[in-house]
Amino acid sequence: MTTQRETWDVLKVLNWTKGYLAEKGVENPRLEAEWMLCEALSLDRVGLYLNFDKPLSDAELASYRGLVARRGKREPLQYILGTQEFMGLDYRVTPAVLIPRHDTAVLVTEAIMRAAQVRSILDIGTGSGCVAIALAKALPEVEVSTVDVSPEAIEVARGNAERNEARVIFFKGSLFEPVAGREFDMIVSNPPYIPAGDIAGLQQEVRGFEPVGALDGGADGLDFYRSITSQASGHLNPGGWLLFEVGAGQAPQVLGLLKHYGFTEETFTQTDPAGIERVVGGRLAKS
Ligand code: GLN
């Protein structure tokens, strides 16, 4: 008697993975299984749907299993697939950079709305480069510079700028250190803002895999807002803007910091689609 080898077709593989990932606490197990199978089979989602009864080869199964095992350990899907979309552009992401969040589009949009007279922008904390690149694409006349302390992040972001044909100037170093003596018309930043003591309570995808240097904002989460705001006026032209993304509940304190350090003009806060105050900004007086 011959034993029939079990065949795993696309649909069967998806159903199995859905159960497995759900058990591991993954929130959208079926959808994520589809994305990983697309990757392993080099198909798009339509292609996948047209091939539900296609049996997987041993090599395809092996490569897919590798991806599923990583996701089962709660590694973010974006690091496994190596990609994340932000404001219509595709970004390569590695564990050296924070995965771009859609909420950050509020920072970019608010900056663009105030950029009519702006000729130069500095983005502090490059990460994947998503903020600087989105600004450079939207404002081709503006010189966009960005600084990050992590050489690995700069490398990822440079690749993203090239891939998306964005003109961005990169500086390696801490906060204003590499731009000493330079002045800009606008400074934007989505700095690390999680209170250090809250990091252990974040979901495993974040606390286990995203760079802690991109998350940890010190004891109360506000360390970077204090450092940046206290130094910003020395790197801005008269009337210069300072815009921040902030964590939930941080807007009033960050707005207070801005006012304290001279950003008293046209101050504002803006909510994200969930209704959370997500962006805070203001500008220096002209004289
Ligand atoms: N500016 C990047 C982003 O918004 C990096 C932010 C960070 O690492 N805190 O994704």
Side-chain angles (χ1 to χ4, degrees), residues 86 96-101 104 107 123-132 146 148 153 188-193 211 213-216 245:
F86 178 73
V97 302
L98 191 82
I99 297 163
R101 305 298 203 266
T104 301
L107 175 67
D123 165 45
I124 301 181
T126 312
S128 63
C130 63
V131 170
T146 186
D148 204 292
V188 301
S189 183
N190 173 24
Y193 55 63
L215 301 170
D216 187 345
E245 174 170 324

Side-chain angles (χ1 to χ4, degrees), residues 71-91:
R71 191 65 188 103
K73 295 190 182 109
R74 303 285 298 274
E75 182 171 347
L77 185 66
Q78 292 92 334
Y79 290 151
I80 297 170
L81 302 180
T83 179
Q84 171 66 43
E85 178 272 339
F86 178 73
M87 297 186 83
L89 297 178
D90 183 53
Y91 289 85

Side-chain angles (χ1 to χ4, degrees), residues 22 48 64 123 206 246 250 254 257 270 281:
L48 197 69
Y64 177 68
D123 165 45
V206 181
V246 299
Q250 294 174 333
V254 176
L257 277 172
Q270 183 55 268

Side-chain angles (χ1 to χ4, degrees), residues 188-207:
V188 301
S189 183
N190 173 24
Y193 55 63
I194 313 285
D198 292 357
I199 290 176
L202 298 175
Q203 62 179 21
Q204 172 62 10
E205 279 84 348
V206 181
R207 84 180 128 91

Side-chain angles (χ1 to χ4, degrees), residues 124-144:
I124 301 181
T126 312
S128 63
C130 63
V131 170
I133 291 168
L135 288 171
K137 294 296 280 186
L139 304 167
E141 307 294 310
V142 174
E143 187 177 273
V144 179

Side-chain angles (χ1 to χ4, degrees), residues 119-244:
R119 292 286 155 265
S120 57
I121 301 180
L122 175 66
D123 165 45
I124 301 181
T126 312
S128 63
C130 63
V131 170
I133 291 168
L135 288 171
K137 294 296 280 186
L139 304 167
E141 307 294 310
V142 174
E143 187 177 273
V144 179
S145 303
T146 186
V147 48
D148 204 292
V149 71
S150 154
E152 293 82 15
I154 297 272
E155 199 182 311
V156 170
R158 257 189 220 285
N160 282 325
E162 263 169 48
R163 186 168 298 108
N164 289 304
E165 298 178 333
R167 219 165 42 85
V168 174
I169 303 165
F170 292 95
F171 292 96
K172 216 177 297 175
S174 175
L175 304 182
F176 293 105
E177 183 189 276
V179 293
R182 288 174 203 264
E183 281 169 4
F184 305 87
D185 293 333
M186 179 183 271
I187 294 170
V188 301
S189 183
N190 173 24
Y193 55 63
I194 313 285
D198 292 357
I199 290 176
L202 298 175
Q203 62 179 21
Q204 172 62 10
E205 279 84 348
V206 181
R207 84 180 128 91
F209 295 93
E210 294 203 86
V212 70
L215 301 170
D216 187 345
D220 65 355
L222 303 176
D223 279 6
F224 288 93
Y225 300 112
R226 278 188 285 265
S227 319
I228 294 171
T229 310
S230 64
Q231 299 173 63
S233 64
H235 296 274
L236 281 168
N237 294 316
W241 288 93
L242 177 58
L243 274 71
F244 282 123

